[in-house]
Amino acid sequence: MFFLTWGFLVWLGATALFRFLGHFFFSLESPVLLVASYILVIPFILILTLPIYRYKQLDSYNRLKAAILIALPGMLLDVVSLIYFSDIFINLDSRMDRIFGSWLLLAYSFILLSGFTIEKQTNKDKRCQS
């Protein structure tokens, strides 16, 4: 339940950000900021996921499960937000719907990929496996 809630909160924060400030990130007149939004989503996603996996002390199987649970609420809710793109993201040009959709796919892909991270084993862990 924790990871579903975290995923919902991430989605809510991102949706609010793009509802009110999306025109700064997604504009055909500003290709530099558009490219920057694609690049900056990667470290942002890692900051939102990896520390939580460490804090919760998840093994590799549970990290992958947590990544799925984090991505799921946003993926389901963005189905609706993309259908009503012009009504929800009123400050974005309606032509940006495809670009925004591709950005969302990138973000959710990196959330899911974050579940495949490998934790370093400590020396104690290595001795126990021998």
Side-chain angles (χ1 to χ4, degrees), residues 26-41:
F26 298 101
S27 171
L28 296 173
E29 290 79 36
S30 182
V32 172
L33 288 177
L34 186 58
V35 170
S37 70
Y38 276 84
I39 294 169
L40 292 175
V41 73

Side-chain angles (χ1 to χ4, degrees), residues 29-96:
E29 290 79 36
S30 182
V32 172
L33 288 177
L34 186 58
V35 170
S37 70
Y38 276 84
I39 294 169
L40 292 175
V41 73
I42 298 167
F44 186 69
I45 291 299
L46 296 177
I47 289 168
L48 290 173
T49 57
L50 298 182
I52 292 174
Y53 302 157
R54 278 194 236 41
Y55 174 72
K56 291 287 192 176
Q57 299 176 348
L58 301 178
D59 60 20
S60 59
Y61 171 75
N62 286 315
R63 266 194 311 273
L64 185 54
K65 193 171 148 182
I68 292 167
L69 291 173
I70 291 169
L72 197 57
M75 292 174 79
L76 292 172
L77 292 166
D78 276 331
V79 169
V80 176
S81 73
L82 288 174
I83 290 172
Y84 297 103
F85 182 84
S86 297
D87 297 323
I88 294 173
F89 301 104
I90 54 175
N91 60 344
L92 293 176
D93 186 320
S94 62
R95 297 175 296 164
M96 297 306 292

